[in-house]
């Protein structure tokens, strides 16, 4: 490896654009400690704006001390510093390491604005470990692509400037520049697969084959290139199958071979930023959901998401809380913040609107999500119907029927957002606005 700073400068200069920030995921370990030093040197030469973010997982009794130490190092160099405390997801069948990783990236994403660069300290040894873990799981080319040196992330880019640098080279740089860093005691626990590879397997491989770092990097890159090529070749097929609401057409998938169909489904998951389904998941998704009886309401529960079928299309539905019992008053002109990131709802004055409300009625407005027991009379229908039946007739998927805001006045349905206004309230003077953009 050439001079470490020259290598770092070249990579960052390629990706950084004027006016954007760099955000460093700063754990205080030797790798991120070295990146902090390199980034600070780059800042003095270019007036770069950057922020160091420490993510506190609460897994170690030393985490508070590490956070204080990281903050001290940043204060000494007048580097802006932020600490994020996260709550790890447990009991969902995922490993502690995966849960910590997901929580860390979610916390870091909050600080990455449009065009910003997130820098992390993964290095060549991490790459070998990731590659071998994917091999152990029986992953295909996508999993064996391991980690990319740069990739889209949040509204910006994730850059791993040390990915081609070995841990030995990083430690050598730290020693030569008299840097201090924190040591996570859990890194020595070989009960964790990654630590077992780090301490027992990779040293043996690198001793036998010193070029193993370059070989793994090359194999990962070749796998990544093959994945990218397949995506490019199938992009038009996927676009043809995808509906405007993000669902995918079952008929389009059924017309393809099993191999091609599975590839399109994986691409669909990737486009919606979901964890890749396993081969078993793909089989169950197709046979238990896509091909289930027409009158069934099938679903497949995966990590953080459900695969559902409606009107011969498959949907990826993220896990959400039950808001059936939620209700809130609504004041004319005020934007009501809805739960579960469902946006805002406003009753606004508008002489061209389709809702007529008296002054007395305006003071009785409230919003609910539970259609149970409610009836309404859309203006284009001959009589009133239960909301449950109207949702079916209007093609509202079952999982959205308790996530669609219902405007009430006393015991009467005034309107169902995005669907209809009740005949008794048809007129002018007001409009109902559901802004789903948050």
């Amino acid at each position: 490896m050439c001079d470490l700073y020259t290598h770092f400068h070249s990579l960052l200069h390629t990706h950084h654009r004027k006016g954007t920030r760099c955000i460093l995921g700063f754990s205080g370990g030797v790798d991120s400690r070295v990146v902090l030093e390199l980034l600070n040197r780059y800042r003095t030469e270019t007036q770069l704006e950057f922020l160091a973010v420490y993510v506190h997982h609460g897994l170690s009794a030393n985490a508070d001390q590490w956070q204080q130490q990281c903050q001290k190092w940043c204060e000494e160099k007048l580097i802006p510093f932020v600490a994020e405390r996260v709550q790890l997801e447990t009991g969902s069948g995922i490993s502690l390491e995966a849960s910590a990783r997901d929580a860390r990236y979610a916390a870091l994403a909050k600080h990455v604005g449009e065009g910003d660069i997130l820098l992390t300290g993964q290095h060549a040894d991490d790459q070998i470990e990731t590659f071998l873990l994917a091999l152990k799981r029986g992953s295909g080319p996508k999993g064996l692509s391991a980690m990319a040196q740069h990739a889209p992330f949040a509204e910006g880019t994730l850059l791993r400037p040390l990915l081609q640098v070995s841990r030995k080279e990083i430690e050598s740089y730290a020693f030569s520049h008299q840097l201090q860093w924190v040591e996570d005691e859990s890194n020595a626990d070989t009960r964790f697969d990654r630590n077992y590879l780090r301490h027992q397997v990779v040293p043996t491989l690198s001793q036998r084959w010193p070029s193993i770092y370059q070989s793994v990097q090359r194999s990962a890159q070749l796998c990544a290139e093959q994945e990218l090529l397949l995506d490019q070749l199938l992009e038009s097929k996927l676009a043809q199958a995808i509906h405007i609401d993000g669902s995918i057409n079952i008929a389009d998938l059924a017309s393809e071979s099993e191999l091609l169909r599975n590839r399109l489904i994986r691409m669909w998951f990737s486009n919606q930023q979901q964890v890749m389904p396993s081969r078993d998941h793909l089989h169950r998704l197709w046979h238990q959901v896509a091909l289930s009886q027409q009158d069934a309401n099938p679903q497949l529960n995966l990590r953080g998401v459900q695969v559902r079928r409606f009107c011969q299309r498959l949907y990826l539905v993220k896990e959400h809380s039950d808001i059936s019992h939620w209700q809130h008053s609504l004041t004319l002109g005020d934007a009501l913040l809805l739960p579960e990131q469902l946006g805002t709802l406003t009753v606004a004055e508008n002489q061209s609107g389709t809702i007529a409300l008296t002054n007395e009625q305006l003071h009785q407005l409230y919003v609910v999500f539970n259609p149970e027991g409610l009836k309404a009379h859309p203006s284009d229908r001959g009589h009133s119907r239960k909301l449950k039946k109207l949702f079916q007739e209007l093609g509202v998927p079952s999982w959205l029927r308790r996530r669609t805001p219902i405007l009430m006045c006393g015991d009467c349905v005034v309107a169902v957002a995005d669907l209809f206004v009740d005949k008794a309230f048809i007129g002018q003077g007001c409009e109902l606005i559901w802004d789903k953009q948050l």
Side-chain angles (χ1 to χ4, degrees):
M1 173 60 63
C2 62
D3 174 69
L4 192 54
Y5 180 69
T6 301
H7 170 74
F8 177 87
H9 184 284
S10 175
L11 278 174
L12 192 54
H13 185 72
T14 299
H15 293 278
H16 184 255
R17 296 293 178 267
K18 185 177 180 180
T20 60
R21 296 189 311 162
C22 284
I23 290 83
L24 170 62
F26 188 39
S27 68
V30 64
D31 43 12
S32 67
R33 183 72 177 90
V34 166
V35 177
L36 182 78
E37 193 73 12
L38 296 170
L39 199 50
N40 187 57
R41 179 176 169 184
Y42 188 90
R43 179 181 68 159
T44 61
E45 297 177 4
T46 63
Q47 302 303 308
L48 169 79
E49 180 184 356
F50 84 92
L51 169 72
V53 181
Y54 176 86
V55 179
H56 191 308
H57 298 95
L59 293 175
S60 172
N62 299 315
D64 288 338
Q65 181 182 341
W66 296 338
Q67 176 182 323
Q68 294 168 6
Q69 184 61 70
C70 288
Q71 184 170 357
K72 179 183 177 183
W73 286 325
C74 290
E75 288 175 347
E76 288 172 352
K77 297 181 181 295
L78 301 179
I79 297 169
F81 173 87
V82 171
E84 290 279 355
R85 285 182 177 264
V86 297
Q87 189 76 34
L88 298 189
E89 181 183 353
T90 58
S92 58
I94 64 173
S95 68
L96 184 63
E97 182 185 30
S99 180
R101 181 187 62 242
D102 291 348
R104 179 168 64 251
Y105 279 118
L108 292 170
K110 295 192 294 185
H111 299 277
V112 180
E114 185 175 356
D116 290 347
I117 298 174
L118 171 64
L119 291 102
T120 59
Q122 288 102 341
H123 44 71
D125 293 73
D126 294 321
Q127 184 76 312
I128 292 181
E129 293 159 13
T130 301
F131 185 90
L132 292 175
L133 286 171
L135 192 64
K136 187 263 296 185
R137 291 192 298 267
S139 299
K142 190 171 186 65
L144 295 175
S145 299
M147 296 180 288
Q149 188 158 71
H150 59 89
F153 180 82
E155 297 182 27
T157 301
L158 169 61
L159 180 63
R160 299 180 173 99
L162 303 182
L163 200 59
Q164 297 178 11
V165 184
S166 70
R167 180 183 287 107
K168 184 177 180 180
E169 290 173 297
I170 292 169
E171 291 177 348
S172 176
Y173 181 93
F175 283 124
S176 66
H177 288 76
Q178 299 181 324
L179 299 180
Q180 295 178 317
W181 61 89
V182 301
E183 290 284 358
D184 186 340
E185 70 280 358
S186 69
N187 288 337
D189 189 347
T190 54
R191 290 177 300 175
F192 295 108
D193 288 345
R194 183 175 289 274
N195 290 342
Y196 175 77
L197 291 171
R198 180 176 303 163
H199 296 291
Q200 303 292 332
V201 178
V202 175
T204 303
L205 292 175
S206 59
Q207 183 177 11
R208 173 78 177 190
W209 300 295
S211 62
I212 189 69
Y213 296 100
Q214 293 78 17
S215 297
V216 166
Q217 196 73 38
R218 185 167 58 250
S219 292
Q221 182 62 35
L222 288 171
C223 288
E225 289 175 359
Q226 292 299 310
E227 286 292 295
L228 182 59
L229 176 60
L230 281 173
D231 284 350
Q232 290 176 349
L233 293 173
L234 296 177
E235 188 175 356
S236 60
K237 276 188 176 293
L238 182 66
Q240 178 182 333
I242 295 291
H243 191 262
I244 191 171
D245 62 3
S247 61
I248 191 166
N249 190 290
I250 293 175
D252 287 331
L253 294 174
S255 65
E256 306 294 350
S257 68
E258 182 180 2
L259 285 175
L260 185 48
R261 180 177 69 239
N262 287 344
R263 179 70 194 192
L264 290 172
I265 293 174
R266 286 193 175 102
M267 291 173 65
W268 177 50
F269 269 72
S270 179
N271 284 358
Q272 299 205 32
Q273 299 180 330
Q274 296 299 325
V275 176
M276 285 296 101
S278 66
R279 180 176 294 185
D280 176 60
H281 288 151
L282 288 170
H283 179 83
R284 290 161 57 196
L285 182 157
W286 187 248
H287 292 278
Q288 296 178 17
V289 181
L291 300 185
S292 64
Q293 294 179 353
Q294 294 305 308
D295 58 350
N297 185 23
Q299 65 185 63
L300 175 65
N301 294 315
L302 300 176
R303 179 180 161 191
V305 70
Q306 294 177 331
V307 183
R308 306 289 292 263
R309 188 191 69 192
F310 185 75
C311 290
Q312 289 306 299
R313 296 199 300 270
L314 295 175
Y315 290 80
L316 285 177
V317 181
K318 294 181 181 178
E319 289 183 351
H320 50 71
S321 302
D322 181 9
I323 54 175
S324 299
H325 300 293
W326 187 94
Q327 72 174 53
H328 202 286
S329 59
L330 188 61
T331 303
L332 180 68
D334 290 346
L336 173 63
L337 183 65
L338 300 174
E340 287 279 291
Q341 297 183 316
L342 288 173
T344 60
L345 196 69
T346 307
V347 173
E349 289 188 274
N350 184 348
Q351 292 307 311
S352 300
T354 58
I355 300 177
L357 294 164
T358 66
N359 286 334
E360 182 180 352
Q361 289 171 331
L362 285 170
H363 290 90
Q364 301 178 48
L365 299 178
Y366 63 99
V367 179
V368 299
F369 284 93
N370 188 358
E372 197 70 34
L374 297 179
K375 288 186 176 183
H377 187 174
S379 58
D380 61 345
R381 304 294 172 105
H383 51 83
S384 64
R385 306 288 298 275
K386 289 184 176 181
L387 273 190
K388 181 179 179 181
K389 189 66 175 177
L390 286 171
F391 277 144
Q392 293 175 346
E393 294 174 356
L394 293 169
V396 179
S398 58
W399 58 92
L400 293 181
R401 294 171 191 171
R402 292 175 183 261
R403 296 179 68 78
T404 300
I406 304 165
L407 180 63
M408 302 289 296
C409 178
D411 295 330
C412 301
V413 173
V414 176
V416 178
D418 282 3
L419 294 177
F420 63 84
V421 176
D422 190 273
K423 187 175 182 179
F425 294 91
I426 287 288
Q428 293 181 316
C430 296
E431 66 173 329
L432 183 63
I433 304 169
W434 185 12
D435 184 357
K436 303 176 186 178
Q437 302 301 315
L438 275 181

